[in-house]
């Protein structure tokens, strides 16, 4: 990819389109408004609170990221979305129960104005929930065209100059890439014939990319992770990224596993269990959706630890993941890990982690960062897969033939070096030998 010769300024309003206006979307929108009103802080957001070191350590240059690269400002964000339920964003946020009533009351007038458009929905892909706010059409292509029309109407009525789509909807049933996903032409034909391998999330992806709108995939669904959409992203010069927000348990795995590998500590087994009670947990009661999520969570250790390179340390590790719907937990899911490691001379040790996390609280700043960074990439003319945004995903997308980097620290370095590269600054290697010459 060529270095951007120029990054267009972030002029005008940025439209943020959210398929799925549930717990994550409403927590994100409410949070942005609370920050804009000076009622809270954007904790967890790299774009708002993070700094980036430039040049040598002795130079003392560490500006805030949003001062270093031309990101859209929070005041310029305008929100829209789709959902199978008719509740406005305030009603949906109240039902989700993530934010306390005091915080919600501060943004009630704002959230109440955000009403979902009718959603493209297929019960075969999300079996355990249903709703009345659903599009009708004779085939999937017609539904995808309706989504494109929604986007254009939103552009005009909201008077936004640019848009970004971020999927915050449910996990769909497991789908493997098929021939119908291989080219744009075959994909369109498959939509017109209602092929069963064309999921609703793919309709949003196709509509966004063919409308010139960047797309981030916050679920483990295939969505943009198929050749047809990736080719369209190149053809239309659109930035895409995914998949599956890296929030709780997997975030910790991408921190701990690199530590074991860095110190050459062995791993016999890693057992992970999750309990959660929100709509995501309810959806994952369906075996098809559960398999999609498990595939996303299981890939992390294998890629980080590389058992093919270190068979004595990781060749026989047992990695198990269990996800359980437990309504009393609500959005505050619990991730529990039992880790069996071994050290010098093969002597065994154990680590146990119990992360009582708030899923949407961890996901909301990810949505904000992805929206702002994708808009930046789009204005810089960076098309196709944005691997530098792997930092935010459980199953990062890569170019064909490349394995994904899951190590959080490598991902962080990749992200910040990409920002330096975009602005013509020296890349940071941390070699540090120049200080001792």
């Amino acid at each position: 990819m060529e270095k951007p010769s120029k990054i267009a300024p972030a002029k005008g309003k940025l439209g943020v389109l959210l398929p799925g206006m549930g717990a994550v979307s409403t927590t994100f929108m409410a949070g942005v408004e609370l920050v804009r009103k000076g009622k809270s802080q954007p904790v967890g957001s790299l774009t708002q609170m993070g700094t980036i070191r430039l040049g040598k350590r002795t130079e003392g240059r560490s500006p805030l990221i949003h001062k270093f690269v031309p990101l859209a400002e929070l005041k310029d964000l305008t929100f829209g979305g789709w959902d199978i339920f008719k509740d406005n964003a305030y009603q949906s946020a109240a039902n989700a129960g993530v934010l306390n009533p005091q915080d919600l009351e501060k943004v009630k007038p704002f959230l109440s104005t955000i009403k979902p458009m009718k959603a493209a929905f297929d019960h075969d892909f999300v079996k355990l929930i249903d709703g009345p706010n659903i599009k009708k059409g004779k085939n999937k292509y017609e539904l995808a065209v309706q989504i494109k029309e929604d986007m254009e109407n939103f552009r005009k009525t909201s008077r936004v100059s640019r848009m970004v789509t971020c999927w915050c909807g449910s996990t769909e049933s497991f789908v493997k890439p098929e021939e119908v996903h291989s080219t744009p032409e075959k994909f369109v034909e498959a939509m017109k014939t209602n092929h069963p391998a064309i999921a609703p999330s793919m309709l949003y992806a196709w509509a966004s990319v063919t409308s010139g709108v960047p797309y981030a995939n916050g679920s483990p669904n295939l969505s943009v992770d198929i050749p047809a959409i990736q080719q369209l992203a190149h053809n239309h010069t659109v930035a895409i990224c995914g998949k599956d927000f890296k929030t709780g348990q997997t975030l910790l795995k991408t921190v701990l596993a690199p530590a074991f590998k860095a110190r050459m500590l062995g791993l016999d087994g890693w057992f992970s269990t999750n309990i959660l009670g929100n709509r995501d947990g309810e959806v994952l009661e369906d075996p098809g959706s559960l398999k999609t999520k498990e595939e996303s969570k299981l890939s992390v250790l294998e890629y980080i630890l590389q058992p093919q390179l270190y068979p004595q340390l990781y060749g026989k590790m047992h990695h198990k993941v269990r996800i359980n719907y437990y309504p009393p937990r609500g959005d505050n899911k619990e991730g529990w890990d039992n880790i069996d490691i071994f050290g010098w001379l093969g002597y065994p040790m154990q680590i146990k982690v119990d992360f009582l996390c708030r899923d949407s609280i961890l996901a909301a700043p990810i949505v904000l960062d992805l929206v702002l960074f994708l808009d930046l990439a789009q204005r810089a003319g960076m098309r196709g897969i944005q691997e530098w945004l792997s930092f935010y995903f459980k199953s990062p997308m890569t170019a064909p033939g490349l394995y994904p980097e899951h190590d959080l620290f490598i991902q962080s370095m990749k992200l910040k070096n990409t920002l330096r590269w975009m602005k013509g600054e020296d890349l940071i290697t941390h070699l540090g030998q120049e200080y001792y010459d």
Side-chain angles (χ1 to χ4, degrees), residues 247-257 260 267 269-275 333-341 350-357:
T247 51
Q249 190 173 60
T250 307
L251 173 64
L252 294 186
K253 281 186 178 178
T254 61
V255 172
L256 292 173
F260 302 152
L267 179 69
W270 197 314
F271 179 81
S272 300
T273 189
N274 301 257
I275 53 175
K333 73 178 182 183
E334 181 171 359
W336 179 83
D337 291 86
N338 176 79
I339 311 163
D340 288 287
I341 66 173
Q350 278 195 346
I351 299 172
K352 298 185 188 296
V353 180
D354 192 8
F355 191 6
L356 295 159
C357 62

Side-chain angles (χ1 to χ4, degrees), residues 286-409:
D286 171 57
S289 295
L290 178 64
K291 181 172 175 58
T292 306
K293 176 66 77 171
E294 285 180 338
E295 289 284 324
S296 174
K297 290 172 77 73
L298 278 168
S299 63
V300 173
L301 292 185
E302 283 70 15
Y303 280 116
I304 292 176
L305 297 176
Q306 298 175 295
Q308 73 279 9
L309 296 181
Y310 307 101
Q312 295 165 304
L313 298 175
Y314 312 117
K316 296 180 180 180
M317 67 174 173
H318 298 273
H319 186 197
K320 301 289 184 184
V321 175
R322 296 289 181 265
I323 303 172
N324 303 284
Y325 179 49
Y326 181 57
R329 187 64 65 186
D331 195 68
N332 300 339
K333 73 178 182 183
E334 181 171 359
W336 179 83
D337 291 86
N338 176 79
I339 311 163
D340 288 287
I341 66 173
F342 59 91
W344 185 247
L345 307 180
Y347 278 72
M349 295 172 277
Q350 278 195 346
I351 299 172
K352 298 185 188 296
V353 180
D354 192 8
F355 191 6
L356 295 159
C357 62
R358 295 175 180 265
D359 202 34
S360 297
I361 294 297
L362 291 166
I366 291 178
V367 178
L368 175 59
D369 285 358
L370 287 172
V371 164
L372 297 183
F373 279 142
L374 270 186
D375 176 56
L376 173 69
Q378 189 70 19
R379 286 184 282 112
M382 296 165 67
R383 62 185 180 179
I385 297 168
Q386 304 299 303
E387 193 191 339
W388 61 285
L389 297 176
S390 296
F391 180 72
Y392 296 103
F393 296 109
K394 289 189 186 78
S395 299
M397 291 169 57
T398 64
L402 284 182
Y403 67 83
E405 282 290 359
H406 282 277
D407 182 320
L408 187 75
F409 305 102

Side-chain angles (χ1 to χ4, degrees), residues 184-239:
E185 295 77 19
K186 289 180 179 179
F187 186 83
V188 168
E189 184 60 32
M191 286 195 289
K192 290 180 177 179
T193 58
N194 284 324
H195 194 283
I198 304 297
S201 63
M202 296 177 187
L203 305 184
Y204 289 95
W206 180 85
S208 294
V209 169
T210 57
S211 298
V213 177
Y215 186 99
N217 177 20
S219 74
N221 309 333
L222 280 181
S223 294
V224 287
D225 200 7
I226 53 175
I229 302 296
Q230 291 168 18
Q231 183 60 54
L232 286 169
H234 273 269
N235 295 348
H236 292 268
T237 315
V238 174

Side-chain angles (χ1 to χ4, degrees), residues 31 34-42 103:
L34 285 166
V35 173
R36 291 195 290 208
K37 291 166 71 74
K39 303 290 186 183
S40 195
Q41 294 293 319
D103 281 331

Side-chain angles (χ1 to χ4, degrees), residues 64-298:
L64 288 163
I65 286 172
H66 67 80
K67 301 287 187 183
F68 174 58
V69 288
L71 299 178
E73 296 185 32
L74 296 192
K75 66 180 178 63
D76 292 328
L77 301 189
T78 301
F79 305 101
W82 300 263
D83 202 89
I84 65 173
F85 299 103
K86 294 182 178 180
D87 294 344
N88 64 42
Y90 171 77
Q91 294 166 325
S92 180
N95 290 335
V98 178
L99 302 177
N100 64 47
Q102 292 84 355
D103 281 331
L104 273 184
E105 197 61 31
K106 296 172 188 173
V107 292
K108 182 177 180 179
F110 166 73
L111 291 179
S112 298
T113 65
I114 304 171
K115 299 174 182 178
M117 296 174 276
K118 288 185 176 181
F121 182 75
D122 187 336
H123 205 265
D124 288 339
F125 283 91
V126 182
K127 292 184 169 61
L128 297 185
I129 60 172
D130 215 336
N133 202 38
I134 295 172
K135 293 184 182 299
K136 303 294 183 184
K138 65 181 180 182
N139 56 43
K140 296 178 180 181
Y141 178 75
E142 201 170 277
L143 297 178
V145 170
Q146 289 179 34
I147 295 170
K148 283 175 68 77
E149 292 170 353
D150 289 343
M151 298 175 77
E152 188 54 36
N153 288 337
F154 177 83
R155 187 195 299 272
K156 290 177 180 177
T157 57
S158 300
R159 297 180 180 179
V160 297
S161 61
R162 312 174 312 285
M163 295 189 291
V164 174
T165 302
C166 185
W167 175 275
C168 296
S170 297
T171 299
E172 297 170 333
S173 292
F174 185 68
V175 176
K176 288 184 177 180
E178 296 188 19
E179 185 64 23
V180 295
H181 304 133
S182 62
T183 68
E185 295 77 19
K186 289 180 179 179
F187 186 83
V188 168
E189 184 60 32
M191 286 195 289
K192 290 180 177 179
T193 58
N194 284 324
H195 194 283
I198 304 297
S201 63
M202 296 177 187
L203 305 184
Y204 289 95
W206 180 85
S208 294
V209 169
T210 57
S211 298
V213 177
Y215 186 99
N217 177 20
S219 74
N221 309 333
L222 280 181
S223 294
V224 287
D225 200 7
I226 53 175
I229 302 296
Q230 291 168 18
Q231 183 60 54
L232 286 169
H234 273 269
N235 295 348
H236 292 268
T237 315
V238 174
I240 57 174
C241 62
K243 54 194 192 231
D244 205 2
F245 299 141
K246 181 159 61 177
T247 51
Q249 190 173 60
T250 307
L251 173 64
L252 294 186
K253 281 186 178 178
T254 61
V255 172
L256 292 173
F260 302 152
K261 181 181 173 184
R263 292 292 298 270
M264 289 289 105
L265 295 172
L267 179 69
D268 280 326
W270 197 314
F271 179 81
S272 300
T273 189
N274 301 257
I275 53 175
L276 67 163
N278 57 12
R279 190 185 297 174
D280 193 31
E282 184 178 2
V283 167
L284 293 176
E285 281 284 273
D286 171 57
S289 295
L290 178 64
K291 181 172 175 58
T292 306
K293 176 66 77 171
E294 285 180 338
E295 289 284 324
S296 174
K297 290 172 77 73
L298 278 168

